[in-house]
Amino acid sequence: MSQPKHQTVRDYIAAKKAGKTEETSRIVREVCERFATRTTDGSEAAELFEATMTTPLGQQNN
């Protein structure tokens, strides 16, 4: 995956690599809500989908 255009997707990738599942869930909900209300085009959701499929879940350091 090339460098994502959307900051939310970059934040999602960082959170997922760090194992922060609550944060990744929050980001997914926010992007889905924006897409559902058409306050964003489909590119953000498409990037997020690709990130969910290609980014491995890391372990959170406590």
Side-chain angles (χ1 to χ4, degrees), residues 14-59:
K16 189 167 181 185
K17 286 180 176 179
K20 297 179 179 178
T21 56
E22 288 182 23
E23 188 173 342
T24 59
S25 295
R26 177 188 56 79
I27 292 169
V28 168
R29 282 192 307 273
E30 290 174 2
V31 171
C32 289
E33 184 176 308
R34 281 196 295 278
F35 183 72
T37 59
R38 302 296 188 243
T39 55
T40 185
D41 64 7
S43 65
E44 182 182 27
E47 275 190 354
L48 184 62
F49 174 74
E50 184 177 353
T52 63
M53 301 304 290
T54 60
T55 306
L57 179 62
Q59 291 188 342

